[in-house]
Structures are given as C-alpha cells and as structure tokens.
Amino acid sequence: MSSLQPVRGTHDLLPDDARRHRRVEEAALAAARRYGFGEIMTPIFEFTEVFSRTLGETSDVVTKEMYTFADRSGESITLRPEGTAGVARAFISGGLAQSLPLKLFYRGPMFRHERPQKGRLRQFHQVGVELLGVESPLADVEVIALAWGLLNDLGLADKVRLEINTLGDAESRAAYRNTLTAYLSEFRSSLSEDSRARLDRNPLRVLDSKDEGDRRIVENAPLMTESLTPSAREFFDAVTAGLTRLDIPYTHNTRLVRGLDYYCHTAFEFTTTALGAQGTVLAGGRYDELIAQMGGPRTPGIGWAAGVERLSMLAGDVADQTRPVAVIPMGDPLAAMAVAERLRRAGLAADLGYSGNMKKRMARANKVNARFAVILGEDEAARGAATLRDLDGGTQDEIPLAALEDHLRRLL
Ligand code: ATP
Ligand code: MG
C-alpha cells in the first residue's frame, strides 16, 4: 500500500536526525537572541495570494512548486513555501507598524513541490530572520553578521563562503531591465521556453535560470553593477565596508540574483561545495517594497533563511551532551524504578533497562553512553545503599541511597 510510505520528498526524523536538526535550530535561536531578535510563529498555511502576489508570478516557487488546495469552504490555501511573506502578512494584519524597528526570528517546516534530491525536499525546514523598519545599510550588515555568527557557532566557518551582490534600487533596475532585455532579445530563439516567457514579464528572472543553454547566454549578459544609480552604488559600498570592518569575508558575485521577486539592493548567499548540487545553505536580501506591495505601510526590510537539513548535513554529528545514569536492578525491579524516579525528579537523566542479566544490562548502559551505573544488589539494598560505578574510570563505591542524588549531582 503506497500510503504506508512517506510522501515523496518528505522524511521522518528519528531521534539521531532530530537531535542534529534541533541543534541547528537551537543554535540559530541562540544566535538570533544575541542580536536582539525575538521569535515569531506564523501559521504554516496562508491564503494563496499571500505568496502568489509577493514571490513573483514568474518565480519557480509560484509557477511550479506551491502546495495549493481549496479547503472545505472553498478558500484557496497554500502551505508556506518560505517564511518572509507570512511574516510580512503578520506585520500588516497585526498592525505592528507602531513597534518598529522589529527584529524577528522564525523556524519551522516549509513546503515546495520540487524534484526530490539530496538536500532538496518537499517538506524541509528553515530558520530565518527579518529586520523590519531600518532603511540604513547597517541593518544589512547586522543580519549578515548574525548569519556569519550562526555558521561559526556550528563550526562551519571554513566550509562556507559569502557571496554578495546588489540588485540596486527601482531606478537602477528599470535601467538594467532595458539593457538586459536588449541583450537577451538577440538570443530569444535560443532561450528555453520558460525564459522566453520571463523575458517579456520579468527579464531579471532569466539570470536565475537553471537551464544549461540559458546559463551560457547569461554568462555574457551585461551586469547590474553597470546600471546602478550613484545612490544604489553608495548603499552597496556601505554594506561591503561594514562587512570588512567586522572582519566578515565575502566575495562580490556580480551574477548573483535571488529567486524571489521582492528583493532590492543587497542579495547574498552562503554557499558550500560540500553538498554537491545543493550548495546554498543560507540566503537572503533586502525587500523594501514588499510590505507596501502587499497593501501595508511602506516598511523597509531585510532578512535571510537557511535550510536546516542542509546545515545539519554540513555540521555533522555531535554526541548527545547529557549522559544518563544507568540504574541496574539485581533484585526487585520496582525498587530500581523507584531509584530511577528519584534521580529523574532531581533533574538527572536515568536509564532503566526492562529485562536481562547483569551482562546484558551493562551492555545497555554502554549503548546509552551512561556516565555512571547504580547497581542495586540485594546485600547493599539491605543496608539501604547501592554500588555506584564510574563507567569511564572503572572505580566503584558504596553510597547510601539517601545521599545518591546529591552525590551524583556533584559528580556530573
Ligand atoms: P535553491 O537554489 O537551492 O533552490 P532557493 O533559492 O529556492 O534555493 P530560498 O528560497 O532562498 O532557496 O531558501 C533558503 C534556503 O532554504 C536555501 O538556501 C536552502 O538551504 C533551503 N531550501 C530551499 N529549498 C529547499 C528544499 N526544497 N529542500 C531543502 N532545503 C531547501
Ligand atoms: Mg529553489
């Protein structure tokens, strides 16, 4: 029965995977807090227009990837493919314009109907931040510094590189649009069908095409940097000067554009060569017109999102920090459970095997990576005591049961 398989592109996270996954999320939340960001939780589904009107009608996400359905009242609903549009919607519907600047962190599942591959799923998870209400390039520097801080905390500084570009302001983009349209029109018949459609509706999107033929044409296209207005150039220079001042290494990639429509000025990605084709681990940019486009008060914004699966693959494993105490009954199993319960109520992690001889139980203590074993032999029990064995050092002592929690707490 196919319905007993997980849906293609979705995964169960078993405890080891879930631990790696949570570690990335917790690191991201901790880093965000250091920079003054608070967590926001928005629904995982929204009215379809929240995404279709903001991400861009010609974007891959909107044209091919959204999980859209009519709910029982006939409303068109979409499972969120990304986090920014929902946060912007919450900003508007919650009337948050009074509390600017606003620094928000989010995490959770996202949904895109893509071709599943390593690092490319249909339900995946992101952590992300949005900084709303700050026009200054200092905001761009600050959110990039936060991203860099997180990647450092995860031990990834040597595995990623920051690429940054500018998409300019509206005037720069209008000028560039003309230059680019003129160039691409010469190759119209060689472009992919998708890109021919994009050429008429949103030529910048062609720069983001994944089609091989398109990429060859795009390689020689004129650069955005050549169409920048002086003030857009000044803005970009301020961002890169800030990064230099904070010792954050970057490369100016003049070909970098982002896949969603709402970006302006700063666009950036942290990429790696260690994950094959799925090399972007964290990406973001500035979106000064997004909230106005959605019908809210014009509010500048900048943010990024990172793929938790990609980050956790890259960061690899870390041992579970909490090592339990193994409680090993030799006689009455309920007496052992009572001891384990006392340790647990005292805030210690205790592991209790359900059956087996001493040898089996010691093997289990090893498997759960226990630091100590509490062995409840009949003789000690009669004296109201237990044997405490140090599983790393191999030494053991008899400890009165009444003093067990305090003793262990001192040792752990
Ligand atoms: P890509 O170029 O890999 O398709 P994207 O530009 O669509 O990425 P964004 O929308 O910027 O990605 O999302 C930010 C991050 O979320 C990506 O850098 C990536 O780490 C992660 N991500 C995006 N789509 C997926 C997916 N289908 N599966 C797993 N992670 C994803
Ligand atoms: Mg994509």
Side-chain angles (χ1 to χ4, degrees), residues 305-382:
V308 174
E309 284 80 3
R310 292 185 197 178
L311 283 178
S312 91
M313 270 194 286
L314 204 56
D317 210 357
V318 276
D320 203 340
Q321 295 300 306
T322 45
R323 296 178 65 186
V325 176
V327 179
I328 299 181
M330 301 292 291
D332 179 8
L334 193 53
M337 175 155 256
V339 170
E341 182 65 15
R342 262 177 47 196
L343 298 181
R344 289 164 177 165
R345 286 185 187 175
L348 300 167
D351 183 79
L352 188 61
Y354 299 101
S355 62
N357 57 23
M358 180 71 176
K359 198 170 154 228
K360 265 216 172 115
R361 289 180 187 276
M362 290 313 291
R364 179 179 166 85
N366 249 327
K367 186 167 166 255
V368 299
N369 193 27
R371 177 69 184 81
F372 293 97
V374 175
I375 302 162
L376 297 163
E378 313 252 18
D379 294 351
E380 295 101 312

Side-chain angles (χ1 to χ4, degrees), residues 88-98 100 132-133 287-301:
R89 194 274 308 141
F91 173 81
I92 299 169
S93 64
L96 302 180
Q98 308 311 316
L100 293 172
L132 301 176
Y287 49 87
D288 292 347
E289 309 307 325
L290 171 67
I291 290 172
Q293 265 170 38
M294 289 177 81
R298 184 182 177 282
T299 309

Side-chain angles (χ1 to χ4, degrees), residues 170-284:
E171 197 185 323
S172 314
R173 268 200 312 289
Y176 182 53
R177 195 183 160 117
N178 289 335
T179 317
L180 185 64
T181 306
Y183 169 83
L184 291 174
S185 298
E186 289 182 40
F187 299 93
R188 175 180 286 273
S189 56
S190 324
L191 287 171
S192 68
E193 198 184 316
D194 279 351
S195 284
R196 278 201 296 276
R198 294 177 183 127
L199 179 53
D200 300 321
R201 296 163 71 188
N202 186 355
L204 263 73
R205 172 80 54 222
V206 178
L207 300 176
D208 199 33
S209 172
K210 301 214 160 86
D211 178 89
E212 273 303 314
D214 290 351
R215 278 182 181 274
R216 274 193 298 278
I217 295 169
V218 161
E219 236 162 65
N220 299 310
L223 295 175
M224 175 81 221
T225 12
E226 291 152 12
S227 300
L228 290 181
T229 60
S231 68
R233 180 175 296 278
E234 202 177 296
F235 190 98
F236 185 60
D237 290 345
V239 175
T240 54
L243 296 176
T244 303
R245 178 66 185 271
L246 300 190
D247 296 320
I248 300 171
Y250 69 89
T251 320
H252 181 185
N253 174 355
T254 52
R255 300 280 168 198
L256 178 73
V257 287
R258 302 276 313 121
L260 307 176
D261 259 9
Y262 48 59
Y263 289 113
C264 63
H265 288 295
T266 314
F268 60 94
E269 293 186 348
F270 283 88
T271 59
T272 178
T273 51
L275 293 179
Q278 271 52 258
T280 307
V281 293
L282 184 154

Side-chain angles (χ1 to χ4, degrees), residues 112-124:
R112 297 184 193 178
H113 196 275
E114 306 206 59
R115 196 166 66 80
Q117 302 160 54
K118 182 184 173 207
R120 190 173 294 287
L121 299 161
R122 290 182 174 175
Q123 175 174 335
F124 62 101

Side-chain angles (χ1 to χ4, degrees), residues 34-207:
R34 288 204 303 274
Y35 284 78
F37 287 70
E39 186 166 5
I40 181 171
M41 299 182 181
T42 65
I44 63 164
F45 54 83
E46 299 272 355
F47 291 122
T48 298
E49 304 91 78
V50 169
F51 306 110
S52 61
R53 295 213 334 241
T54 53
L55 307 189
E57 281 180 292
T58 55
S59 67
D60 279 354
V61 172
V62 171
T63 53
K64 304 180 195 155
E65 299 173 359
M66 294 206 302
Y67 276 95
T68 299
F69 58 95
D71 74 3
R72 286 173 189 279
S73 29
E75 301 279 12
S76 181
I77 298 292
T78 294
L79 299 182
R80 64 181 185 191
E82 57 99 58
T84 305
V87 170
R89 194 274 308 141
F91 173 81
I92 299 169
S93 64
L96 302 180
Q98 308 311 316
S99 25
L100 293 172
L102 207 54
K103 298 163 97 173
L104 301 170
F105 167 86
Y106 64 85
R107 54 175 157 180
M110 305 291 162
F111 305 85
R112 297 184 193 178
H113 196 275
E114 306 206 59
R115 196 166 66 80
Q117 302 160 54
K118 182 184 173 207
R120 190 173 294 287
L121 299 161
R122 290 182 174 175
Q123 175 174 335
F124 62 101
H125 298 77
Q126 287 184 340
V127 290
V129 297
E130 313 293 353
L131 171 42
L132 301 176
V134 183
E135 202 92 49
S136 156
L138 284 177
D140 309 49
V141 177
E142 191 173 31
V143 299
I144 295 173
L146 163 53
W148 179 238
L150 167 61
L151 294 166
N152 273 277
D153 292 349
L154 292 172
L156 300 179
D158 295 335
K159 293 193 184 163
V160 296
R161 63 191 240 139
L162 168 60
E163 298 184 15
I164 183 168
N165 195 21
T166 175
L167 307 175
D169 49 19
E171 197 185 323
S172 314
R173 268 200 312 289
Y176 182 53
R177 195 183 160 117
N178 289 335
T179 317
L180 185 64
T181 306
Y183 169 83
L184 291 174
S185 298
E186 289 182 40
F187 299 93
R188 175 180 286 273
S189 56
S190 324
L191 287 171
S192 68
E193 198 184 316
D194 279 351
S195 284
R196 278 201 296 276
R198 294 177 183 127
L199 179 53
D200 300 321
R201 296 163 71 188
N202 186 355
L204 263 73
R205 172 80 54 222
V206 178
L207 300 176

